[in-house]
Amino acid sequence: GAGVSQSPRYKVAKRGQDVALRCDPISGHVSLFWYQQALGQGPEFLTYFQNEAQLDKSGLPSDRFFAERPEGSVSTLKIQRTQQEDSAVYLCASSSGTGIHTQYFGPGTRLTVL
Amino acid sequence: AQSVTQLGSHVSVSEGALVLLRCNYSSSVPPYLFWYVQYPNQGLQLLLKYTSAATLVKGINGFEAEFKKSETSFHLTKPSAHMSDAAEYFCAVRPTGANSKLTFGKGITLSVRP
């Protein structure tokens, strides 16, 4: 079946622009996660949804970062007034539950801020 | 807080040689542990996971890992490396409670020499 998809795969933004990154999870998966992966580093947690509820946003680096999942399916990560330090790969993952359930990752969106 | 340490950033082995990638974790209680592999320009793929059942866990592509509580380790091994194993490998930890966010190590790049 279809896996997690993300769009766009690549995004170049000028500093100060707003960007929106989309994640389509595996159908029926209630849990959705966003991670940020800087060059040469492991992914770092940003935020977590269970259905439409954002249960943990402790990893969002600043109030310029905002995520939503209004209908409990597709999610959008929005970054306002992008800065160069926002350049990274943004990974989305979904799972059918919590606990031992495997998180399945999408291919990521590579954001470059000039 | 939980953390993962992956010593070294790069491991190089000859084709057919043993692969050993080290991972040590820090957690107040035994967590769930994972190994993911990432190929260039792709998302993370789960290799195997430890969920408090058997301490020796077998995964895909001939990989296995052993959970050693006394050493707080979860090292990844494969008896015979193949060229297609060249990739980046991430160890990750997750608490056993309701909080499902993964905490990743920095990753290790595996190179396989012909």
mmCIF file of all heavy atoms in Angstrom, chain A residues 83-99:
data_model
loop_
_atom_site.group_PDB
_atom_site.id
_atom_site.type_symbol
_atom_site.label_atom_id
_atom_site.label_comp_id
_atom_site.label_asym_id
_atom_site.label_seq_id
_atom_site.Cartn_x
_atom_site.Cartn_y
_atom_site.Cartn_z
ATOM 1 N N GLN A 83 14.336 31.646 8.441
ATOM 2 C CA GLN A 83 15.709 32.045 8.710
ATOM 3 C C GLN A 83 16.650 30.982 8.156
ATOM 4 O O GLN A 83 16.250 29.838 7.934
ATOM 5 C CB GLN A 83 15.929 32.205 10.210
ATOM 6 C CG GLN A 83 14.979 33.185 10.880
ATOM 7 C CD GLN A 83 15.192 34.604 10.393
ATOM 8 O OE1 GLN A 83 16.332 35.058 10.289
ATOM 9 N NE2 GLN A 83 14.109 35.308 10.086
ATOM 10 N N GLN A 84 17.899 31.339 7.987
ATOM 11 C CA GLN A 84 18.857 30.388 7.432
ATOM 12 C C GLN A 84 18.998 29.141 8.303
ATOM 13 O O GLN A 84 19.189 28.040 7.778
ATOM 14 C CB GLN A 84 20.219 31.053 7.223
ATOM 15 C CG GLN A 84 20.262 31.966 6.013
ATOM 16 C CD GLN A 84 21.668 32.441 5.683
ATOM 17 O OE1 GLN A 84 22.471 32.703 6.570
ATOM 18 N NE2 GLN A 84 21.955 32.546 4.401
ATOM 19 N N GLU A 85 18.859 29.311 9.597
ATOM 20 C CA GLU A 85 18.993 28.157 10.498
ATOM 21 C C GLU A 85 17.829 27.178 10.388
ATOM 22 O O GLU A 85 17.881 26.088 10.961
ATOM 23 C CB GLU A 85 19.140 28.604 11.952
ATOM 24 C CG GLU A 85 17.974 29.406 12.494
ATOM 25 C CD GLU A 85 18.215 30.899 12.437
ATOM 26 O OE1 GLU A 85 18.957 31.363 11.538
ATOM 27 O OE2 GLU A 85 17.654 31.609 13.302
ATOM 28 N N ASP A 86 16.794 27.561 9.639
ATOM 29 C CA ASP A 86 15.673 26.646 9.413
ATOM 30 C C ASP A 86 15.988 25.645 8.304
ATOM 31 O O ASP A 86 15.221 24.694 8.101
ATOM 32 C CB ASP A 86 14.408 27.426 9.029
ATOM 33 C CG ASP A 86 13.970 28.412 10.105
ATOM 34 O OD1 ASP A 86 14.298 28.176 11.288
ATOM 35 O OD2 ASP A 86 13.302 29.409 9.753
ATOM 36 N N SER A 87 17.077 25.858 7.584
ATOM 37 C CA SER A 87 17.449 24.936 6.511
ATOM 38 C C SER A 87 17.706 23.552 7.092
ATOM 39 O O SER A 87 18.539 23.390 7.994
ATOM 40 C CB SER A 87 18.707 25.431 5.793
ATOM 41 O OG SER A 87 18.477 26.658 5.127
ATOM 42 N N ALA A 88 16.980 22.572 6.585
ATOM 43 C CA ALA A 88 17.040 21.211 7.111
ATOM 44 C C ALA A 88 16.116 20.342 6.270
ATOM 45 O O ALA A 88 15.415 20.829 5.382
ATOM 46 C CB ALA A 88 16.598 21.170 8.578
ATOM 47 N N VAL A 89 16.131 19.052 6.570
ATOM 48 C CA VAL A 89 15.127 18.140 6.010
ATOM 49 C C VAL A 89 14.047 17.957 7.066
ATOM 50 O O VAL A 89 14.347 17.673 8.228
ATOM 51 C CB VAL A 89 15.741 16.783 5.628
ATOM 52 C CG1 VAL A 89 14.655 15.822 5.161
ATOM 53 C CG2 VAL A 89 16.797 16.960 4.542
ATOM 54 N N TYR A 90 12.806 18.126 6.653
ATOM 55 C CA TYR A 90 11.680 17.968 7.563
ATOM 56 C C TYR A 90 11.006 16.635 7.246
ATOM 57 O O TYR A 90 10.519 16.418 6.130
ATOM 58 C CB TYR A 90 10.721 19.153 7.442
ATOM 59 C CG TYR A 90 11.354 20.406 7.998
ATOM 60 C CD1 TYR A 90 12.183 21.190 7.197
ATOM 61 C CD2 TYR A 90 11.190 20.752 9.330
ATOM 62 C CE1 TYR A 90 12.814 22.314 7.718
ATOM 63 C CE2 TYR A 90 11.815 21.879 9.857
ATOM 64 C CZ TYR A 90 12.631 22.645 9.050
ATOM 65 O OH TYR A 90 13.263 23.744 9.566
ATOM 66 N N LEU A 91 11.004 15.764 8.241
ATOM 67 C CA LEU A 91 10.485 14.413 8.080
ATOM 68 C C LEU A 91 9.142 14.278 8.788
ATOM 69 O O LEU A 91 8.954 14.783 9.891
ATOM 70 C CB LEU A 91 11.459 13.402 8.676
ATOM 71 C CG LEU A 91 12.832 13.301 8.013
ATOM 72 C CD1 LEU A 91 13.779 12.487 8.874
ATOM 73 C CD2 LEU A 91 12.716 12.658 6.644
ATOM 74 N N CYS A 92 8.251 13.594 8.139
ATOM 75 C CA CYS A 92 6.957 13.274 8.721
ATOM 76 C C CYS A 92 6.898 11.761 8.919
ATOM 77 O O CYS A 92 7.428 10.992 8.097
ATOM 78 C CB CYS A 92 5.848 13.732 7.782
ATOM 79 S SG CYS A 92 4.182 13.294 8.311
ATOM 80 N N ALA A 93 6.289 11.340 10.002
ATOM 81 C CA ALA A 93 6.114 9.912 10.262
ATOM 82 C C ALA A 93 4.699 9.674 10.770
ATOM 83 O O ALA A 93 4.101 10.548 11.413
ATOM 84 C CB ALA A 93 7.130 9.420 11.294
ATOM 85 N N SER A 94 4.165 8.495 10.485
ATOM 86 C CA SER A 94 2.857 8.155 11.026
ATOM 87 C C SER A 94 2.889 6.745 11.599
ATOM 88 O O SER A 94 3.739 5.926 11.237
ATOM 89 C CB SER A 94 1.769 8.278 9.955
ATOM 90 O OG SER A 94 1.853 7.249 8.988
ATOM 91 N N SER A 95 1.983 6.494 12.522
ATOM 92 C CA SER A 95 1.864 5.153 13.091
ATOM 93 C C SER A 95 0.416 4.886 13.432
ATOM 94 O O SER A 95 -0.391 5.811 13.584
ATOM 95 C CB SER A 95 2.749 4.998 14.333
ATOM 96 O OG SER A 95 2.246 5.742 15.421
ATOM 97 N N SER A 96 0.103 3.600 13.577
ATOM 98 C CA SER A 96 -1.289 3.219 13.819
ATOM 99 C C SER A 96 -1.685 3.374 15.277
ATOM 100 O O SER A 96 -2.853 3.207 15.619
ATOM 101 C CB SER A 96 -1.517 1.777 13.361
ATOM 102 O OG SER A 96 -0.618 0.905 14.025
ATOM 103 N N GLY A 97 -0.712 3.668 16.124
ATOM 104 C CA GLY A 97 -1.006 3.889 17.532
ATOM 105 C C GLY A 97 0.212 4.403 18.242
ATOM 106 O O GLY A 97 1.161 4.871 17.610
ATOM 107 N N THR A 98 0.195 4.303 19.535
ATOM 108 C CA THR A 98 1.334 4.741 20.327
ATOM 109 C C THR A 98 2.076 3.510 20.848
ATOM 110 O O THR A 98 1.871 2.405 20.361
ATOM 111 C CB THR A 98 0.868 5.615 21.515
ATOM 112 O OG1 THR A 98 -0.055 4.857 22.303
ATOM 113 C CG2 THR A 98 0.183 6.870 21.015
ATOM 114 N N GLY A 99 2.976 3.722 21.784
ATOM 115 C CA GLY A 99 3.693 2.598 22.376
ATOM 116 C C GLY A 99 4.606 1.910 21.389
ATOM 117 O O GLY A 99 5.467 2.524 20.784
#
